[in-house]
Amino acid sequence: MAHPKIKNTITFTDQYGEHLNLSKRQILEIDELTYKWLKDYTWSIDPDYDEKTERCRYYKTIYRKLNVKQRSQFREIKQEVKSNYEKQDFEKRRFEIKQKEYASLKLSDNELVELQEILQKIQWETSDKSGYKVEDYKINHRRN
């Protein structure tokens, strides 16, 4: 179970606690660390904030709290997750999601592909015509 103040978030201990056989002390320390990390860095407005660096620092700190056996188990779990992720066919999955989304239209596979291409083209044209860019927004926002 996560820190009492962390809600609607799957934490490290929720995800890996049972697999790594974490002790109660380890769970408390890791949950406290997670709470502090979420509190300090979630939606940070610091311009020098780098999420990737902070996440890496967070996992290194957790890694130091694990014993040797737990570290090797954690490496194996992460490697397995990575290999499963690489095996996934995201285009096929995206197509299946669109099939469910547009099931009421009763389209064939070819018609669904055409519809997706049309929708993508419309999205790109709308984006190009609007000329909206994040950098322009920042400049205009400062002027106002």
Side-chain angles (χ1 to χ4, degrees):
M1 179 156 143
H3 192 281
K5 293 184 180 178
I6 300 174
K7 296 178 181 160
N8 301 326
T9 303
I10 296 174
T11 63
F12 182 88
T13 55
D14 294 334
Q15 199 168 10
Y16 302 110
E18 290 181 20
H19 299 293
L20 300 177
N21 296 323
L22 297 174
S23 68
K24 290 196 181 277
R25 186 182 60 78
Q26 285 175 318
I27 291 172
L28 290 173
E29 289 175 358
I30 292 172
D31 282 345
E32 190 61 39
L33 176 71
T34 304
Y35 175 70
K36 183 183 179 325
W37 178 68
L38 287 171
K39 183 180 165 193
D40 292 344
Y41 299 112
T42 303
W43 299 303
S44 177
I45 58 171
D46 181 13
D48 297 328
Y49 173 71
D50 181 16
E51 183 180 355
K52 188 174 181 179
T53 305
E54 293 302 328
R55 191 179 320 115
C56 185
R57 191 175 296 153
Y58 164 73
Y59 277 108
K60 282 182 181 179
T61 307
I62 288 176
Y63 195 73
R64 281 187 234 122
K65 295 191 181 297
L66 302 176
N67 62 36
V68 177
K69 183 179 178 185
Q70 290 170 333
R71 288 177 185 172
S72 64
Q73 287 176 333
F74 182 61
R75 272 191 232 112
E76 290 172 8
I77 292 170
K78 292 300 278 184
Q79 193 64 30
E80 183 179 324
V81 168
K82 186 177 180 180
S83 67
N84 289 342
Y85 184 79
E86 291 170 350
K87 291 177 187 174
Q88 290 181 7
D89 185 4
F90 290 104
E91 290 300 321
K92 182 179 177 185
R93 188 164 177 221
R94 186 177 297 130
F95 185 76
E96 290 169 355
I97 290 169
K98 290 294 181 184
Q99 277 182 321
K100 289 178 186 174
E101 187 176 337
Y102 297 114
S104 64
L105 298 177
K106 298 178 183 173
L107 300 172
S108 69
D109 289 349
N110 290 336
E111 291 171 331
L112 183 60
V113 168
E114 286 179 32
L115 177 63
Q116 284 180 306
E117 290 172 355
I118 291 168
L119 292 174
Q120 184 66 41
K121 184 178 177 184
I122 290 170
Q123 186 177 16
W124 282 107
E125 287 176 358
T126 305
S127 174
D128 290 342
K129 286 180 182 178
S130 70
Y132 176 78
K133 294 181 181 175
V134 176
E135 296 83 13
D136 294 341
Y137 173 76
K138 288 181 184 175
I139 292 169
N140 292 334
H141 186 271
R142 287 184 190 146
R143 288 182 190 157
N144 295 335

